[in-house]
């Protein structure tokens, strides 16, 4: 449950890697937030593309986290 980033000609390509469906659980959301902040602060980055590694962008929310306490 992580993200990776590659900068290509001023474009930060951020890949979500949370098999099998890139569900947006807390760990992936936290990783996305960190990666996006880093890309925004990088003076080389002029644009950001968010993509899913594997077969899909994202299957949606992580339903196993529904009705759970809020994490900071």
């Amino acid at each position: 449950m992580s993200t990776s980033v590659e900068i290509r000609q001023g474009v930060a390509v951020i890949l979500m890697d949370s098999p099998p469906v890139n569900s947006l659980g807390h760990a992936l959301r936290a990783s996305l937030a960190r990666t996006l902040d880093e890309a925004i602060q990088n003076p080389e980055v002029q644009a950001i593309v968010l993509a899913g590694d594997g077969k899909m962008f994202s299957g949606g929310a992580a339903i196993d986290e529904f009705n759970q306490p809020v994490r900071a």
Side-chain angles (χ1 to χ4, degrees):
M1 294 183 212
S2 66
T3 56
S4 62
V5 64
E6 181 179 333
I7 299 174
R8 306 175 189 168
Q9 299 177 350
V11 178
V13 178
I14 299 174
L15 293 177
M16 297 181 292
D17 186 13
S18 183
V21 296
N22 292 321
S23 65
L24 297 172
H26 181 266
L28 182 57
R29 293 191 318 270
S31 183
L32 276 171
R34 284 190 303 272
T35 307
L36 282 167
D37 284 341
E38 291 170 9
I40 290 167
Q41 298 300 319
N42 186 333
E44 294 178 38
V45 175
Q46 298 174 359
I48 299 172
V49 172
L50 181 59
D53 198 13
K55 296 181 180 182
M56 63 177 51
F57 175 72
S58 174
I63 61 171
D64 59 337
E65 292 183 1
F66 285 13
N67 205 25
Q68 297 294 316
V70 175
R71 298 186 204 179

